[in-house]
Amino acid sequence: MKIFAAVFSMLFLTSAFATTEFSGLVNYVQTTYAEKFKDYPIMVFDIDELEYRYAQEKAFGKEKVQEKKRAQILKQYVFETVGVELSDNEAIGYEPYTTILKTGAYALPILMDGPNRRKVYKMCAVFPASANSNQRLETERITGLKTPGAYENVTYTGLQERLELNEMQLFSLYHELGHCMDRVFMPNNYNTYEVDAHDVHESESYAEVFALLMLEREGFGGTAKTRALLRNMYTQEMGKWFIDNPRNGFGNPLYLKGGIIYYLAPSLLAAGEFVSRNRNFVKGDIDNLLLKAKEIVETYSLDGRSFNAIFQAMSKGSVDMINQYHEWSTDNPSFFTQAYKDLLHFLDYSPYLLGLIVGDTPDSNEGVVLSKLAEKEFCGLSKEDLFSFLEEKREELKTEGLNYDSQVERQEELNAFFEAFAQCN
């Protein structure tokens, strides 16, 4: 049974030090999980708190001097939270994830030299996705659904299954936390001369499985299938778009394989099946969840040759690649039999999964239009009142029956909220 907004709010009630529901969630994850990880400091950034500090110091703007001012504020915030002293360059490296990239979700370690010439983590930062969202807008973000030319026959309204906003927010946050807690896949990527797309696929599979286990731990059950369908839809639709639009990658060697990297459905479904038979497991030690995620990924994620076979089929055509891998598996079975089997399975199973979620209902732009935010509503407010106002406007964005263009406009306004507050204060 899924647990939705009411219970979600009860789980993450705002603490004395948190002023929005988002801040309460960040504080909960930071104190319950991130701070308990002993290998190196992990910090979940509360962007509401940080942007408020930017506003108080009038530190917004594209100028270098403003960027440096924000970096200094960020340095102090990190030191207060986890006791790590960042260099100026390290703080400047983190700064874009709190400004121009703040709508996305990221896990970003700071590296330093360790034993045997390996890079180790000084700390790892989790930047959560923006709290300024609703079910539709967040679904579009994680699937790239509004990418021009990528989803010509797919609409949000036509989706046969969806996750609740709370579930997607938790998936995103615990996914990035999983990257930071990963002792195997992501550290190996940072210790490789040139990271391979298959290595990234394993790293993403690991973070996704860990996130699912954490959702189950927090009482948000039964999300594996829908999440798998959404991830598979991304593989099918965005995967082809990446291949068909290579210039958009600006030479990034991972770009063309972006869809296959996020073919996470097999690992997710396997994790969901495991949880359904082992309900109490997720309540145990976090290290056991991390080990289980590694085990599931090693068993169910694509191996290197299978990964390449699927990419070749999506790039050059399935018929030619089926014939090629059939020939190779006959001539050299120890190397290519599994890849051939996995290719055939993918070409049958992935389109089947796509058919389970895609419907033909067209989107509509009808609905209630939200009024624009007026500066006179929030200029001069105390911090407590300002955050209450922000929470109220976020809740309006979650209202059913809103005009789609109005949703997008409100999200843009909220993403620029603290900058607007800084200008009028």
Side-chain angles (χ1 to χ4, degrees):
M1 180 178 180
K2 294 182 178 180
I3 302 176
F4 298 139
V7 179
F8 180 86
S9 298
M10 291 174 63
L11 278 172
F12 307 115
L13 285 175
T14 307
S15 74
F17 301 102
T19 45
T20 63
E21 184 178 292
F22 171 76
S23 296
L25 172 58
V26 168
N27 182 66
Y28 172 81
V29 175
Q30 179 66 36
T31 57
T32 307
Y33 300 114
E35 289 181 6
K36 303 289 194 327
F37 193 77
K38 300 303 182 184
D39 293 25
Y40 39 80
I42 295 175
M43 178 173 168
V44 185
F45 274 66
D46 181 352
I47 302 300
D48 285 348
E49 172 62 27
L50 188 55
E51 282 207 283
Y52 179 77
R53 296 188 185 196
Y54 289 167
Q56 288 295 96
E57 298 298 324
K58 298 189 181 301
F60 288 102
K62 297 180 181 179
E63 300 84 359
K64 282 292 182 182
V65 63
Q66 296 296 84
E67 177 187 305
K68 291 179 180 179
K69 184 186 290 189
R70 289 193 295 272
Q72 293 305 309
I73 295 169
L74 187 151
K75 280 178 66 174
Q76 180 62 31
Y77 175 52
V78 170
F79 183 75
E80 288 177 15
T81 306
V82 293
V84 174
E85 294 189 29
L86 300 181
S87 70
D88 289 348
N89 285 340
E90 289 166 347
I92 287 174
Y94 273 166
E95 184 275 336
Y97 298 90
T98 70
T99 52
I100 59 175
L101 299 174
K102 67 184 179 182
T103 58
Y106 312 92
L108 195 65
I110 291 175
L111 304 176
M112 59 184 185
D113 292 331
N116 302 317
R117 298 185 177 180
R118 283 183 64 83
K119 296 294 183 181
V120 296
Y121 293 178
K122 176 177 179 178
M123 68 167 284
C124 191
V126 172
F127 296 97
S130 173
N132 304 318
S133 196
N134 59 25
Q135 186 184 32
R136 177 171 183 170
L137 296 174
E138 186 64 6
T139 301
E140 291 175 350
R141 184 188 74 83
I142 65 174
T143 61
L145 189 55
K146 301 304 288 186
T147 304
Y151 287 89
E152 294 182 357
N153 298 312
V154 181
T155 65
Y156 172 79
T157 307
L159 295 181
Q160 302 302 296
E161 294 198 34
R162 300 171 190 152
L163 291 174
E164 295 293 318
L165 174 63
N166 299 337
E167 295 168 330
M168 288 185 284
Q169 289 174 326
L170 280 181
F171 245 114
S172 175
L173 183 49
Y174 284 127
H175 178 107
E176 304 308 330
L177 182 66
H179 278 312
C180 279
M181 289 185 167
D182 180 1
R183 297 182 174 103
V184 182
F185 300 105
M186 198 159 89
N188 287 343
N189 291 345
Y190 281 106
N191 281 283
T192 301
Y193 177 73
E194 184 175 351
V195 65
D196 178 78
H198 175 255
D199 294 333
V200 179
H201 165 69
E202 289 187 316
S203 177
E204 294 300 331
S205 299
Y206 178 88
E208 192 80 345
V209 169
F210 176 75
L212 176 65
L213 297 178
M214 290 299 292
L215 258 73
E216 294 283 344
R217 181 186 182 89
E218 298 294 351
F220 288 75
T223 62
K225 178 187 174 185
T226 304
R227 184 71 170 189
L229 293 178
L230 289 168
R231 288 300 200 184
N232 179 74
M233 185 175 76
Y234 182 91
T235 294
Q236 283 286 316
E237 302 294 336
M238 288 300 296
K240 294 171 184 173
W241 187 85
F242 291 138
I243 292 167
D244 292 340
N245 296 275
R247 286 177 292 182
N248 292 333
F250 299 102
N252 185 334
L254 304 179
Y255 173 83
L256 291 178
K257 299 178 181 178
I260 314 301
I261 285 173
Y262 284 94
Y263 183 54
L264 311 179
S267 295
L268 278 166
L269 293 172
E273 177 63 23
F274 170 80
V275 170
S276 70
R277 292 184 281 103
N278 300 274
R279 292 292 182 187
N280 293 328
F281 177 83
V282 294
K283 300 298 182 183
D285 188 81
I286 294 297
D287 273 344
N288 289 335
L289 270 65
L290 294 168
L291 289 172
K292 177 53 67 173
K294 177 177 178 289
E295 177 187 318
I296 289 172
V297 168
E298 289 175 340
T299 305
Y300 293 97
S301 67
L302 297 171
D303 70 21
R305 290 191 182 91
S306 300
F307 182 94
N308 188 60
I310 291 170
F311 173 70
Q312 294 299 327
M314 292 186 72
S315 302
K316 301 177 180 179
S318 57
V319 174
D320 287 345
M321 285 302 104
I322 288 172
N323 291 336
Q324 180 68 80
Y325 275 84
H326 178 266
E327 179 182 335
W328 285 346
S329 68
T330 302
D331 295 341
N332 200 337
S334 62
F335 277 91
F336 293 107
T337 296
Q338 189 60 52
Y340 177 54
K341 290 179 179 179
D342 288 344
L343 173 60
L344 293 177
H345 182 262
F346 173 86
L347 292 173
D348 176 67
Y349 189 53
S350 186
Y352 164 75
L353 292 179
L354 183 64
L356 295 180
I357 194 170
V358 172
D360 57 4
T361 306
D363 284 334
S364 169
N365 198 32
E366 297 179 359
V368 176
V369 176
L370 293 170
S371 59
K372 293 185 177 181
L373 300 187
E375 290 184 358
K376 64 181 180 180
E377 297 181 88
F378 56 83
C379 283
L381 292 179
S382 67
K383 183 178 181 181
E384 181 179 357
D385 290 340
L386 183 74
F387 277 75
S388 294
F389 177 83
L390 175 60
E391 196 65 58
E392 175 187 332
K393 298 308 175 183
R394 283 174 173 169
E395 288 302 312
E396 287 182 357
L397 182 57
K398 301 173 189 175
T399 305
E400 294 287 335
L402 294 180
N403 172 276
Y404 177 70
D405 289 342
S406 185
Q407 295 176 46
V408 173
E409 183 177 358
R410 170 58 62 86
Q411 184 180 53
E412 291 173 349
E413 289 179 315
L414 292 177
N415 286 341
F417 177 74
F418 288 101
E419 189 168 357
F421 177 69
Q423 292 172 353
C424 70
N425 202 25

